[in-house]
PDB file of all heavy atoms in Angstrom:
ATOM      1  N   THR Z 211      23.231  66.740 115.986  1.00  0.00           N
ATOM      2  CA  THR Z 211      24.195  67.739 115.495  1.00  0.00           C
ATOM      3  C   THR Z 211      25.517  67.090 115.456  1.00  0.00           C
ATOM      4  O   THR Z 211      25.944  66.377 116.339  1.00  0.00           O
ATOM      5  CB  THR Z 211      24.247  68.989 116.394  1.00  0.00           C
ATOM      6  OG1 THR Z 211      22.930  69.616 116.417  1.00  0.00           O
ATOM      7  CG2 THR Z 211      25.260  69.955 115.926  1.00  0.00           C
ATOM      8  N   ILE Z 212      26.263  67.316 114.396  1.00  0.00           N
ATOM      9  CA  ILE Z 212      27.623  66.739 114.163  1.00  0.00           C
ATOM     10  C   ILE Z 212      28.613  67.896 113.949  1.00  0.00           C
ATOM     11  O   ILE Z 212      28.399  68.686 113.032  1.00  0.00           O
ATOM     12  CB  ILE Z 212      27.655  65.755 113.002  1.00  0.00           C
ATOM     13  CG1 ILE Z 212      26.662  64.655 113.251  1.00  0.00           C
ATOM     14  CG2 ILE Z 212      29.064  65.193 112.852  1.00  0.00           C
ATOM     15  CD1 ILE Z 212      26.314  63.859 111.984  1.00  0.00           C
ATOM     16  N   ILE Z 213      29.591  67.972 114.831  1.00  0.00           N
ATOM     17  CA  ILE Z 213      30.591  69.017 114.683  1.00  0.00           C
ATOM     18  C   ILE Z 213      31.939  68.331 114.481  1.00  0.00           C
ATOM     19  O   ILE Z 213      32.321  67.388 115.198  1.00  0.00           O
ATOM     20  CB  ILE Z 213      30.674  69.904 115.912  1.00  0.00           C
ATOM     21  CG1 ILE Z 213      29.309  70.555 116.184  1.00  0.00           C
ATOM     22  CG2 ILE Z 213      31.793  70.911 115.860  1.00  0.00           C
ATOM     23  CD1 ILE Z 213      29.172  71.259 117.448  1.00  0.00           C
ATOM     24  N   THR Z 214      32.672  68.739 113.415  1.00  0.00           N
ATOM     25  CA  THR Z 214      33.936  68.056 113.115  1.00  0.00           C
ATOM     26  C   THR Z 214      35.100  69.112 113.003  1.00  0.00           C
ATOM     27  O   THR Z 214      34.859  70.255 112.721  1.00  0.00           O
ATOM     28  CB  THR Z 214      33.888  67.301 111.777  1.00  0.00           C
ATOM     29  OG1 THR Z 214      33.748  68.219 110.708  1.00  0.00           O
ATOM     30  CG2 THR Z 214      32.724  66.316 111.788  1.00  0.00           C
ATOM     31  N   THR Z 215      36.316  68.554 113.202  1.00  0.00           N
ATOM     32  CA  THR Z 215      37.511  69.323 112.831  1.00  0.00           C
ATOM     33  C   THR Z 215      38.192  68.485 111.731  1.00  0.00           C
ATOM     34  O   THR Z 215      37.956  67.262 111.644  1.00  0.00           O
ATOM     35  CB  THR Z 215      38.488  69.469 114.030  1.00  0.00           C
ATOM     36  OG1 THR Z 215      39.052  68.259 114.340  1.00  0.00           O
ATOM     37  CG2 THR Z 215      37.820  70.214 115.158  1.00  0.00           C
ATOM     38  N   SER Z 216      39.077  69.108 110.999  1.00  0.00           N
ATOM     39  CA  SER Z 216      39.836  68.399 109.980  1.00  0.00           C
ATOM     40  C   SER Z 216      41.069  69.203 109.628  1.00  0.00           C
ATOM     41  O   SER Z 216      41.038  70.443 109.767  1.00  0.00           O
ATOM     42  CB  SER Z 216      38.982  68.145 108.725  1.00  0.00           C
ATOM     43  OG  SER Z 216      39.747  67.452 107.785  1.00  0.00           O
ATOM     44  N   ASN Z 217      42.017  68.555 109.173  1.00  0.00           N
ATOM     45  CA  ASN Z 217      43.257  69.280 108.664  1.00  0.00           C
ATOM     46  C   ASN Z 217      43.184  69.450 107.187  1.00  0.00           C
ATOM     47  O   ASN Z 217      44.133  69.900 106.517  1.00  0.00           O
ATOM     48  CB  ASN Z 217      44.523  68.423 108.987  1.00  0.00           C
ATOM     49  CG  ASN Z 217      44.765  68.457 110.512  1.00  0.00           C
ATOM     50  OD1 ASN Z 217      44.515  69.418 111.187  1.00  0.00           O
ATOM     51  ND2 ASN Z 217      45.225  67.297 111.007  1.00  0.00           N
ATOM     52  N   TYR Z 218      41.981  69.200 106.619  1.00  0.00           N
ATOM     53  CA  TYR Z 218      41.773  69.303 105.116  1.00  0.00           C
ATOM     54  C   TYR Z 218      40.553  70.122 104.803  1.00  0.00           C
ATOM     55  O   TYR Z 218      39.610  70.157 105.612  1.00  0.00           O
ATOM     56  CB  TYR Z 218      41.561  67.904 104.501  1.00  0.00           C
ATOM     57  CG  TYR Z 218      42.767  67.012 104.672  1.00  0.00           C
ATOM     58  CD1 TYR Z 218      42.922  66.223 105.856  1.00  0.00           C
ATOM     59  CD2 TYR Z 218      43.794  66.922 103.753  1.00  0.00           C
ATOM     60  CE1 TYR Z 218      44.050  65.422 106.036  1.00  0.00           C
ATOM     61  CE2 TYR Z 218      44.932  66.135 103.923  1.00  0.00           C
ATOM     62  CZ  TYR Z 218      45.055  65.404 105.028  1.00  0.00           C
ATOM     63  OH  TYR Z 218      46.102  64.624 105.246  1.00  0.00           O
ATOM     64  N   ARG Z 219      40.577  70.767 103.728  1.00  0.00           N
ATOM     65  CA  ARG Z 219      39.421  71.494 103.295  1.00  0.00           C
ATOM     66  C   ARG Z 219      38.317  70.469 102.883  1.00  0.00           C
ATOM     67  O   ARG Z 219      38.660  69.336 102.519  1.00  0.00           O
ATOM     68  CB  ARG Z 219      39.685  72.364 102.040  1.00  0.00           C
ATOM     69  CG  ARG Z 219      40.663  73.469 102.316  1.00  0.00           C
ATOM     70  CD  ARG Z 219      40.975  74.202 101.047  1.00  0.00           C
ATOM     71  NE  ARG Z 219      41.960  75.232 101.324  1.00  0.00           N
ATOM     72  CZ  ARG Z 219      42.877  75.633 100.506  1.00  0.00           C
ATOM     73  NH1 ARG Z 219      42.859  75.151  99.223  1.00  0.00           N
ATOM     74  NH2 ARG Z 219      43.720  76.559 100.819  1.00  0.00           N
TER      75      ARG Z 219
END
Side-chain angles (χ1 to χ4, degrees):
T211 300
I212 303 162
I213 300 171
T214 68
T215 69
S216 182
N217 293 323
Y218 298 88
R219 294 179 183 148

